[in-house]
Amino acid sequence: MDVEVRYIDDSKGNGLFAKKNFSEDSILFEESPLVCVQFSWNAEYGYKACDHCLKPLETAEENVRRLTGKTEIVLPYPELCTTNKSTITQCSGCGVEYCNADCQEKAFNQYHRTLCVQTGPLQCLNDAWKQIHYPPETGNVMLIPRILATIQQSCDKENTLNRFLKFCHRSVNDDSHLAHKLLGEKFANQISTLHSLLVQSMPHEHVSQLLSPEGFQSLLALMGTNGQGVATSPFSQWVENVPEKDLVSKLYEDMDANVGSFLDNEGVGLFETQSAANHSCLPNAEIVYRHNNSTLSLRALRDIEAGEEICISYVDECTLSSSRHSRQKELRENYLFNCNCPKCLEQADDPDVTSDEDMSDSDE
Ligand SMILES: [Zn+2]
Ligand SMILES: [Zn+2]
Ligand SMILES: [Zn+2]
C-alpha cells in the first residue's frame, strides 16, 4: 500500500497519510468493503444490482428504458455497455442474484450460508426498516445481519470481531445521539422494534454481545458514522465513451423527468482504510467507483506529497460550498467533531450565519 494509517493525537485519533508522491487524478489506493448492502428502497424500486458487489445486472439500454419509462428506446453503441448478463447467477435457496459465480461463492462463504436460511425473518426486518427509513436513503439495517454473519462464519472470529469493533470508538451517549439522527423522532420505539426483529432472525452464537440492545445501538451508530455510500450505474458507464453528447443530455433530461435524481444502484459499505481518512472542507482526495462495483478507489484531487495527510469530504458538494457555520453544524451532528481544517480556520472570524439554502431545515 502507498498509504498508511497513523496516529495523530487524542483529539483527531488516526489519519491516513501518503507514503509517496501522487500526481493530481492518480489513484491512491483501492479496496473492497468488509461488508456492503444495497439500500432497501433502491432494491424495491427495481434497481438491479449484484447482491454481493452491487455491480449492475441491467444493460445500459434496459437501465435507460426503466429510468425514462420509455420502453422503445434503442441505445446505439451496445458494445460500450459493460454489463455481462450471461454470467449472472442466482442463489437456489432464496433467489438473490449475483453478477457471477465468483461473487455468489464469496457471499456464501462470508455470510450468505447463515443468512440464506433466515430469508423469511430477515424480510420482516427489511420491511420494518423500509417503514422507518424512506428515500433519500443513508443507511440500511440489513448491513447488520451481514456483519454478524461474517463474524459467525469466519474461521478467526476474534480477529474478525475486532476488525468491526475498530470502527466503533464512541461512548454510549454518542451512540444514542447517532441512532436518533438516523431514525428520527420516534427512534426509541423504532430501535426496539428493529432490535427484536434482528434478534429473532439471527443465530446468537459468538455475537450475543452485539445482539444486546446496546450492541445493536452501537452497530447502528457505526453505520451512521462509518458507512460509506456506494453507487453503480450501467448507464453512466456507457455514457463515458459515447461521442454524441446531445443524445446523452436528452436521455438525462428524460430520466430526470421520470425518476428525478435517483439514477444509480445505491448502497452502503464499511471500508477499513478509507474510514481512517479524516474530513477536510478543502479535501485533497475523493472517492470514486470506477469499476462499477463496490470496490472503492481514492483519487487525488491535486498533487499530494509523501508524508502529507490524505483528507476527503464527509459532506456533499452543496454543504461543502456553504458557510463555515453550516458545514460545522452538519459535521458536529453527524460525525461528532469540530472541523479545524485550513478553510474553517481561515473563516473562523466569519459571523455564525447559516447558508440560505439550508435555512429551511436548520431549526432543531
Ligand atoms: Zn458481484
Ligand atoms: Zn440464498
Ligand atoms: Zn472545515
Side-chain angles (χ1 to χ4, degrees):
M1 279 271 245
D2 296 324
V3 298
E4 64 184 350
V5 179
R6 255 197 258 153
Y7 173 78
I8 303 174
D9 59 38
D10 280 356
S11 72
K12 282 193 104 177
N14 290 332
L16 193 63
F17 291 84
K19 282 167 73 180
K20 59 167 226 180
N21 295 340
F22 292 98
S23 53
E24 184 178 342
D25 279 339
S26 62
I27 298 298
L28 306 167
F29 71 91
E30 298 196 320
E31 74 176 324
S32 300
L34 220 46
V35 278
C36 141
V37 73
Q38 188 177 5
F39 287 144
S40 297
W41 283 107
N42 191 258
E44 168 93 17
Y45 280 130
Y47 291 73
K48 292 190 75 180
C50 173
D51 196 59
H52 184 64
C53 78
L54 250 63
K55 197 178 176 71
L57 301 180
E58 286 177 317
T59 63
E61 186 172 84
E62 289 170 331
N63 190 235
V64 166
R65 287 176 174 178
R66 182 171 59 78
L67 295 175
T68 57
K70 296 182 174 176
T71 52
E72 73 287 356
I73 288 178
V74 177
L75 281 193
Y77 314 106
E79 70 281 5
L80 296 180
C81 172
T82 55
T83 306
N84 182 358
K85 293 189 68 167
S86 70
T87 62
I88 294 175
T89 61
Q90 195 173 26
C91 174
S92 57
C94 67
V96 296
E97 290 186 302
Y98 298 95
C99 66
N100 58 37
D102 186 45
C103 261
Q104 182 171 3
E105 195 184 330
K106 277 188 190 147
F108 192 80
N109 292 334
Q110 189 190 323
Y111 53 81
H112 195 68
R113 189 175 69 232
T114 304
L115 301 184
C116 187
V117 292
Q118 303 293 341
T119 300
L122 286 169
Q123 196 54 52
C124 297
L125 177 63
N126 193 35
D127 288 343
W129 175 256
K130 279 190 296 188
Q131 293 315 307
I132 292 168
H133 194 72
Y134 287 100
E137 298 172 282
T138 55
N140 187 355
V141 75
M142 302 310 285
L143 194 69
I144 294 177
R146 289 198 180 185
I147 293 173
L148 301 175
T150 295
I151 296 165
Q152 288 167 326
Q153 287 189 213
S154 165
C155 32
D156 187 350
K157 295 175 178 56
E158 180 92 22
N159 178 45
T160 306
L161 173 66
N162 285 331
R163 284 171 77 179
F164 284 110
L165 292 180
K166 270 208 289 189
F167 286 102
C168 325
H169 37 68
R170 295 169 312 269
S171 69
V172 172
N173 285 341
D174 292 344
D175 285 348
S176 145
H177 167 86
L178 291 163
H180 189 165
K181 280 298 289 182
L182 198 66
L183 297 174
E185 280 307 302
K186 296 180 218 117
F187 84 108
N189 286 337
Q190 295 173 336
I191 285 189
S192 72
T193 304
L194 293 171
H195 177 242
S196 61
L197 288 169
L198 177 72
V199 167
Q200 288 161 34
S201 56
M202 289 297 299
H204 294 204
E205 215 185 341
H206 307 294
V207 294
S208 50
Q209 254 191 326
L210 293 174
L211 279 170
S212 69
E214 297 74 30
F216 176 63
Q217 193 157 296
S218 79
L219 286 170
L220 278 178
L222 179 158
M223 178 171 73
T225 42
N226 295 282
Q228 171 60 47
V230 178
T232 68
S233 155
F235 181 68
S236 64
Q237 197 84 353
W238 176 86
V239 160
E240 273 183 30
N241 299 304
V242 169
E244 283 101 320
K245 297 304 168 198
D246 289 352
L247 168 68
V248 170
S249 323
K250 174 76 177 75
L251 290 169
Y252 272 122
E253 272 170 35
D254 289 350
M255 289 192 270
D256 187 61
N258 193 39
V259 294
S261 56
F262 297 103
L263 302 183
D264 296 338
N265 302 326
E266 286 183 47
V268 60
L270 288 178
F271 297 85
E272 289 179 294
T273 307
Q274 171 266 332
S275 74
N278 287 311
H279 165 88
S280 169
C281 302
L282 277 177
N284 56 8
E286 67 172 357
I287 290 161
V288 289
Y289 294 96
R290 57 191 195 133
H291 303 292
N292 215 20
N293 62 19
S294 60
T295 300
L296 168 154
S297 310
L298 211 64
R299 182 163 65 194
L301 288 168
R302 56 170 173 77
D303 292 352
I304 297 175
E305 284 178 27
E308 210 179 312
E309 183 175 1
I310 298 160
C311 292
I312 57 178
S313 171
Y314 292 177
V315 297
D316 62 25
E317 293 275 329
C318 179
T319 308
L320 212 51
S321 59
S322 65
S323 72
R324 184 189 66 101
H325 183 68
S326 302
R327 297 197 306 273
Q328 298 233 339
K329 184 167 181 288
E330 181 161 338
L331 290 165
R332 240 188 337 265
E333 285 177 358
N334 295 301
Y335 300 95
L336 312 172
F337 72 92
N338 290 309
C339 188
N340 289 314
C341 79
K343 186 172 170 180
C344 285
L345 290 178
E346 192 190 295
Q347 297 175 342
D349 298 330
D350 287 4
D352 280 353
V353 289
T354 305
S355 293
D356 293 346
E357 285 157 22
D358 41 48
M359 283 295 266
S360 53
D361 54 10
S362 66
D363 323 302
E364 285 191 23

